[in-house]
Amino acid sequence: MQLAASIEKRIFHFFRPAGTSRGVLNEKKSWFIYIWDENEPAIKGIGECSVIPGLSPDYLNDSAYEEKLKEVVLNIEKYSTQLTEIKEFPSILFGLEMALLDFKNGGKRIYYDSAFTRGEKSIPINGLIWMGDPEFIKDQIKDKISEGFSCIKMKIGAIDFSKELEILEEIRKNYSSREITLRVDANGAFTPPEAMAKLTRLSEYDLHSIEQPIKQGQWREMKKLCESSPVPIALDEELIGLHDIKAKTEMLDKILPQFIILKLSLVGGFHSTREWIELAEERKISWWITSALESNIGLDAIAQFTSTYDIELPQGLGTGMLYKDNVPSELRIENGCLKRLSHG
């Protein structure tokens, strides 16, 4: 077998501007890796290298990123067996892992065969509420509840904190915590001195958890918050850049959060995520998996991987309805769950 590979860049366009902690996004870039055997070119594996500028640790600009991709493609025989050589490029590692797995399974976008992949079982997910003005946030919440979501994740830290509390209060006036599970994501918006006071205010609304209340890298301060916060804390950005098992273990042992959140494009793909899950479960730390603006290619692979676990918590797997020019997909939402219609 003689492996060959190529790269295709795609730019996806949002249906509406997406408000994030790193500004408003109108478009999203991804690079697809294709892998095949030169002796049998009809079977191709596909993987997605997805980045979020300002968040992805391996992305500085297009030219530097594409230079690394070209190196990987030109040396595909080497990198296909030595994936750890690119562990500091987690999105590329994940894309390569994905493409190799698809190729191995016949190039049918079947990464993991499971009841979910066969369309027999669905995955509970949270409904994501995008940042924006209060009316836009309220409209989204109404839509998610009408669509059958029982778990809603709202990003906070972008508008006035008192306005965000009013929105949470309005939700709780209409829906108890038994009816609607509420998660919030601060994306590191709080400063350490103010964090505990804000967490105390937030606890009045019976929240499931808060993601990354303060910026990553402040392990001592985060440990104190995890020990005494009235709202359980989930680490998200804190996991980025920790590539080996020693670094992962050190962080978890130091902070001991209630939850960790795993974004495969940011933490380095399937193998790295399995490692995180094993370490977390050894320490009785719960977890869930979240997509990170991937197209339907990446999202499908992430969902199939997620379905290999016994899911207890709603996952953060958004659907491909973000983009007007997304790749066709078998993924659908039904009553707050992600479903795959068939093998594809």
Side-chain angles (χ1 to χ4, degrees):
M1 184 169 66
Q2 182 66 44
L3 282 184
S6 66
I7 296 291
E8 177 196 7
K9 181 181 180 180
R10 289 281 301 271
I11 298 177
F12 298 99
H13 300 88
F14 288 90
F15 276 110
R16 63 161 63 213
T20 73
S21 60
R22 283 152 188 88
V24 176
L25 300 177
N26 292 293
E27 62 181 35
K28 165 73 177 54
K29 298 170 187 173
S30 281
W31 287 260
F32 294 108
I33 295 183
Y34 297 91
I35 293 177
W36 66 93
D37 179 356
E38 287 189 337
N39 301 314
E40 202 174 340
I43 297 175
K44 286 188 177 181
I46 182 172
E48 180 176 0
C49 303
S50 173
V51 298
I52 301 175
L55 183 60
S56 299
D58 49 358
Y59 177 85
L60 294 175
N61 54 57
D62 282 12
S63 59
Y65 192 75
E66 288 170 357
E67 187 177 337
K68 188 63 182 181
L69 281 169
K70 286 173 187 172
E71 181 200 332
V72 170
V73 163
L74 289 172
N75 298 280
I76 193 62
E77 290 280 359
K78 169 190 169 183
Y79 285 113
S80 65
T81 58
Q82 299 177 38
L83 290 170
T84 54
E85 290 285 309
I86 50 172
K87 65 183 180 182
E88 293 184 3
F89 296 84
S91 64
I92 296 176
L93 171 53
F94 180 38
L96 181 55
E97 240 186 348
M98 206 188 301
L100 286 167
L101 202 52
D102 186 24
F103 171 69
K104 176 185 171 184
N105 292 336
K108 299 174 182 176
R109 282 169 58 179
I110 303 299
Y111 302 94
Y112 292 92
D113 188 15
S114 68
F116 169 81
T117 306
R118 295 189 297 272
E120 300 163 4
K121 193 174 180 181
S122 58
I123 299 173
I125 61 174
N126 60 224
L128 178 61
I129 306 302
W130 290 93
M131 290 178 171
D133 62 63
E135 286 310 311
F136 174 57
I137 292 172
K138 289 175 187 176
D139 287 344
Q140 290 181 86
I141 291 167
K142 288 176 187 172
D143 289 343
K144 295 301 178 189
I145 292 171
S146 69
E147 289 165 12
F149 284 93
S150 60
C151 181
I152 289 172
K153 172 183 163 180
M154 185 176 122
K155 289 182 175 289
I156 61 173
I159 61 175
D160 182 74
F161 185 61
S162 62
K163 295 286 186 189
E164 291 168 337
L165 293 178
E166 286 174 13
I167 293 168
L168 293 170
E169 183 176 8
E170 191 170 317
I171 296 171
R172 279 290 173 249
K173 278 181 181 175
N174 295 295
Y175 302 96
S176 71
S177 58
R178 291 187 302 277
E179 296 169 296
I180 296 292
T181 298
L182 273 178
R183 294 171 174 169
V184 296
D185 182 1
N187 286 120
F190 304 160
T191 64
E194 71 181 1
M196 187 54 71
K198 288 192 169 183
L199 289 167
T200 301
R201 292 293 310 279
L202 287 166
S203 69
E204 297 170 18
Y205 306 105
D206 205 356
L207 303 183
H208 171 268
S209 56
I210 179 168
E211 295 180 31
Q212 204 70 41
I214 61 174
K215 289 188 185 304
Q216 68 266 41
Q218 305 177 87
W219 290 9
R220 184 181 300 174
E221 291 83 355
M222 188 68 87
K223 175 183 173 62
K224 289 178 183 175
L225 291 177
C226 289
E227 286 175 342
S228 52
S229 171
V231 180
I233 290 174
L235 301 187
D236 181 0
E237 288 94 337
E238 205 73 66
L239 280 60
I240 297 172
L242 304 181
H243 305 301
D244 58 59
I245 195 162
K246 183 180 177 184
K248 294 174 181 178
T249 301
E250 184 183 2
M251 187 277 285
L252 291 177
D253 285 343
K254 178 71 175 178
I255 300 178
L256 285 176
Q258 284 76 34
F259 302 98
I260 60 170
I261 299 169
L262 298 151
K263 294 177 177 171
L264 278 73
S265 292
L266 297 174
V267 302
F270 301 127
H271 175 76
S272 179
T273 300
R274 284 201 191 282
E275 199 168 70
W276 274 114
I277 289 171
E278 287 170 13
L279 291 171
E281 291 184 343
E282 285 170 7
R283 290 158 178 78
K284 311 298 183 191
I285 297 169
S286 297
W287 56 269
W288 67 87
I289 290 171
T290 299
S291 53
L293 301 183
E294 292 86 359
S295 77
N296 281 327
I297 298 287
L299 175 60
D300 196 4
I302 293 167
Q304 290 182 40
F305 170 79
T306 304
S307 72
T308 64
Y309 290 91
D310 291 328
I311 300 303
E312 296 180 2
L313 298 172
Q315 306 295 293
L317 304 176
T319 68
M321 293 188 294
L322 289 174
Y323 307 117
K324 49 179 94 163
D325 44 10
N326 209 333
V327 179
S329 172
E330 300 292 339
L331 299 174
R332 301 289 184 273
I333 284 183
E334 292 182 5
N335 294 317
C337 292
L338 188 65
K339 186 173 177 62
R340 198 173 192 274
L341 297 185
S342 70
H343 256 301

